[in-house]
Amino acid sequence: GAGVSQSPSNKVTEKGKDVELRCDPISGHTALYWYRQSLGQGLEFLIYFQGNSAPDKSGLPSDRFSAERTGGSVSTLTIQRTQQEDSAVYLCASSLSMDRGRGGYTFGSGTRLTVV
Amino acid sequence: KNEVEQSPQNLTAQEGEFITINCSYSVGISALHWLQQHPGGGIVSLFMLSSGKKKHGRLIATINIQEKHSSLHITASHPRDSAVYICAVLNTGNQFYFGTGTSLTVIP
């Protein structure tokens, strides 16, 4: 696609429910990143994929968070048993490669998650 | 101590002024990014650099690897430059670290 597409754009869920956030990167971008920005906070890195592989999952806030990417394209971020502290804007970005000097990133418009 | 430190945290400038935002980091990096976040949340990647200097329009980004320091300059600032500017580094382990951002307001 022309840009990074995230869905849904807004999600309100009840505490304890599971949610799934989707990111559709730019076609051909092998690297995909998930971040979140809580209200009044800076950007927090969650996880990245190079192809379908996520070498380092230590940025995920807890074991309730998981992410996968299939076919080197769409990625889903799943939050199980959501808590109020999970409320944030979840951002996805993609780039051609993780290699230095290969250009910048394109960000999606984010999914605003509110846990009530 | 944060791995990435930005200064200033807040900056107000008159239209036309030359602006500098600084970023210092403490980890070994493979790349440094400057991001721009406008009110409403949209994030734009301005620069990715690993050495030297890059220029795009009125924006200039420099990096000194030995000193672990980068600067973002805006020449002839304009009210539409008002945004939060974020420095982010990608360390050699492919982990991202973000600065807390510099909130810039350019007054007409």
Side-chain angles (χ1 to χ4, degrees):
Chain A
V4 177
S5 177
Q6 288 188 249
S7 61
S9 55
N10 281 285
K11 176 73 176 177
V12 180
T13 190
E14 292 181 353
K15 179 181 171 181
K17 300 278 190 181
D18 297 352
V19 295
E20 194 172 274
L21 313 180
R22 176 187 168 107
C23 173
D24 199 343
I26 290 176
S27 179
H29 280 195
T30 62
L32 184 147
Y33 316 84
W34 283 99
Y35 311 92
R36 73 174 177 182
Q37 186 168 29
S38 303
L39 187 63
Q41 304 294 314
L43 273 173
E44 177 186 3
F45 169 73
L46 299 179
I47 193 170
Y48 80 91
F49 288 88
Q50 180 62 38
N52 293 333
S53 174
D56 182 358
K57 299 180 181 177
S58 62
L60 294 174
S62 77
D63 59 9
R64 296 184 294 104
F65 287 71
S66 62
E68 64 174 17
R69 188 181 186 196
T70 55
S73 182
V74 173
S75 175
T76 54
L77 178 69
T78 302
I79 310 173
Q80 295 179 307
R81 304 180 303 281
T82 51
Q83 303 294 314
Q84 287 184 326
E85 63 261 27
D86 300 333
S87 297
V89 175
Y90 289 80
L91 289 162
C92 176
S94 70
S95 67
L96 272 173
S97 168
M98 289 290 287
D99 292 345
R100 53 198 278 180
R102 291 294 188 96
Y105 297 82
T106 302
F107 281 82
S109 54
T111 294
R112 185 174 298 275
L113 175 67
T114 305
V115 181
V116 297
Chain B
K1 184 183 185 302
N2 292 331
E3 288 84 358
V4 180
E5 299 276 358
Q6 276 186 246
S7 64
Q9 289 189 347
N10 293 282
L11 180 58
T12 301
Q14 291 289 331
E15 183 173 356
E17 284 185 8
F18 180 84
I19 289 163
T20 296
I21 300 171
N22 294 299
C23 175
S24 296
Y25 53 91
S26 59
V27 297
I29 70 167
S30 59
L32 182 144
H33 301 263
W34 282 102
L35 310 172
Q36 181 192 54
Q37 184 174 30
H38 279 281
I43 292 180
V44 175
S45 176
L46 298 176
F47 296 102
M48 182 172 92
L49 64 165
S50 54
S51 65
K53 174 179 172 178
K54 286 189 176 180
K55 184 176 188 293
H56 186 264
R58 295 180 294 105
L59 302 178
I60 303 166
T62 64
I63 188 168
N64 185 316
I65 297 296
Q66 286 73 31
E67 295 184 4
K68 295 190 173 181
H69 182 269
S70 175
S71 293
L72 176 68
H73 306 285
I74 306 174
T75 61
S77 59
H78 190 277
R80 64 175 174 267
D81 297 327
S82 298
V84 175
Y85 292 83
I86 302 166
C87 174
V89 301
L90 180 65
N91 76 357
T92 50
N94 284 334
Q95 183 86 11
F96 269 104
Y97 297 94
F98 293 90
T100 52
T102 295
S103 180
L104 171 66
T105 303
V106 181
I107 300 170

